[in-house]
Amino acid sequence: MASNHIVSSSQSALNSHSSSPSPTSLQPSTYREYEPEEIDWDNLGFKVMPTDYMFIAKSCLDGNFEAGQLNPFGNIQLSPSAGILNYGQGLIEGTKAYRREDGRIYVFRPQDSAIRMQIGAERLCMPFPSVDQFVDAVKQTALANKRWIPPAGKGSLYIRPLLMGSGAVLGVAPAPEYTFLVYSCPVGIYLKDGTGALSLYVEEEFHRSALGGAGGIKSITNYAPVMKAMRNAKGKGFTDVLYLDSVNNKYIEEASSSNIFLVKGKVISTPKANGTILEGVTKKSVIDIAHDLGYQVEERMIEAEELITADEVFCTGTALGVAAVGSVTYKGKRIEYKISSETISQQLNSRLVGIQRGTIEDKRNWIVEVK
């Protein structure tokens, strides 16, 4: 069977290019339903909203990746035997681009997402783009879709890099060809009700991951299995699920797509990553910010019973940001936490957002300018 190619719905198979064409030389996608001028930025929400361009690069025979190029946003074609379709050989990442008051555009910690993708790729026997290739692709995608970046303070451009086994394979084995793709969508507040407060249900039947598995990487295979537990929880009025460890069923790990923190006094605790918990970029950022603000941070095993005595609970993630938890339901008991502008989570969120938007100095080179 011939090796397949991923292409835009408006193009034939892609050819290798040493450099990406300028967006002005391409015809923007007609896939979308409306233009940026028609968007109500104050009520943007978090949903798929097709933009103009996406970036695509393919692996070469030596396992490295070609330079890649921008293409009009659109559907892609895959062989029915593609590794990602048959065996889930794929990874996702996420970062955001922000527009500042002066109009300049910045991306938050794309190099960390690149490194995390490399770690995941090694686990799934996939070649991967270099950090420079990854960051350049993210910047190209943001710049090509800059008219979709919300005004300062109104939201961000969510950027989704994908690495997938696009080559045809029948037996359980690594695909012969790989595609690195980056697309983007303008987004606002992640939570539909806009309050920023989560209500979590502690799941005791289903587990997100197990020791020795792939829970510590951002594999696409980690997300479909949580959907049933999420559906059940949301059917009961909860926002999300908080998972326990699969060995003892008593230590908290993380929510469906975010890390969790508990606060007791001046001490902030978060589950220690041991291969079953994703090392969140926002989580790492919040830990550094907490140290800057004088808080003690512990990464350790946390029993679910500690939720009962915690002063405060919050979650972190690229899509979510820093979100306070209003309540956690465990073993039929609802535990409620105070929500106010003076909580530690709000202090951390304010500092993080300030760094992302440029109102607070970035002392760790987290911010990368797109120009």
Side-chain angles (χ1 to χ4, degrees), residues 59 63-66 91 114-123 125-131 133-134 163 178-180:
S59 62
N64 294 316
F65 276 81
E66 63 183 23
L91 295 163
I115 293 170
R116 187 168 62 180
M117 176 171 277
Q118 291 183 352
I119 294 170
E122 289 181 345
R123 177 67 176 82
C125 298
M126 304 168 71
F128 48 80
S130 69
V131 172
Q133 286 177 313
F134 183 103
L163 180 62
Y178 296 85
T179 298
F180 175 54

Side-chain angles (χ1 to χ4, degrees), residues 8-10 23 26-37 39 41 44 47-55 70-75 97 99 137-138 140-150 156-160 181-187:
S8 163
S9 59
S10 62
L26 294 173
Q27 182 65 34
S29 172
T30 56
Y31 192 88
R32 59 188 181 276
E33 298 178 0
Y34 40 78
E35 297 294 324
E37 295 77 12
I39 297 175
W41 298 113
L44 188 54
K47 61 183 179 181
V48 175
M49 188 177 294
T51 52
D52 292 330
Y53 303 100
M54 59 186 182
F55 178 92
L70 290 167
N71 294 264
F73 182 97
N75 292 339
R99 189 188 302 275
V138 166
Q140 285 193 51
T141 304
L143 187 61
N145 294 299
K146 64 180 180 180
R147 71 193 189 109
W148 295 88
I149 302 177
S156 60
L157 185 73
Y158 187 89
I159 301 173
R160 168 54 58 82
L181 186 152
V182 185
Y183 72 92
S184 61
C185 295
V187 297

Side-chain angles (χ1 to χ4, degrees), residues 310-326:
D311 297 329
E312 185 182 340
V313 176
F314 62 92
C315 290
T316 62
T318 298
L320 189 64
V322 180
V325 173

Side-chain angles (χ1 to χ4, degrees), residues 93-94 109 116 190 196 198 200 208-209 215-218 222-223 240-243 252-263 268-287 297-300 302 307 312-325 328 345 348 352:
E93 272 299 332
R109 302 190 73 167
R116 187 168 62 180
Y190 183 74
L198 301 166
L200 303 181
R208 178 186 169 274
S209 63
I217 63 173
K218 211 166 175 63
N222 289 334
Y223 294 90
D240 203 350
V241 173
L242 178 58
Y243 295 91
I252 63 172
E253 294 212 321
E254 62 178 307
S256 300
S257 58
S258 60
N259 297 119
I260 190 164
F261 291 78
L262 276 66
V263 178
I268 302 173
S269 301
T270 188
K272 182 177 178 60
N274 60 359
T276 62
I277 298 171
L278 184 68
E279 287 276 24
V281 174
T282 306
K283 173 183 176 178
K284 293 195 300 182
S285 305
V286 164
I287 290 174
V297 181
E298 297 178 346
E299 293 185 80
R300 60 180 178 83
I302 302 173
L307 292 164
E312 185 182 340
V313 176
F314 62 92
C315 290
T316 62
T318 298
L320 189 64
V322 180
V325 173
V328 175
S345 64
L348 296 170
L352 176 64

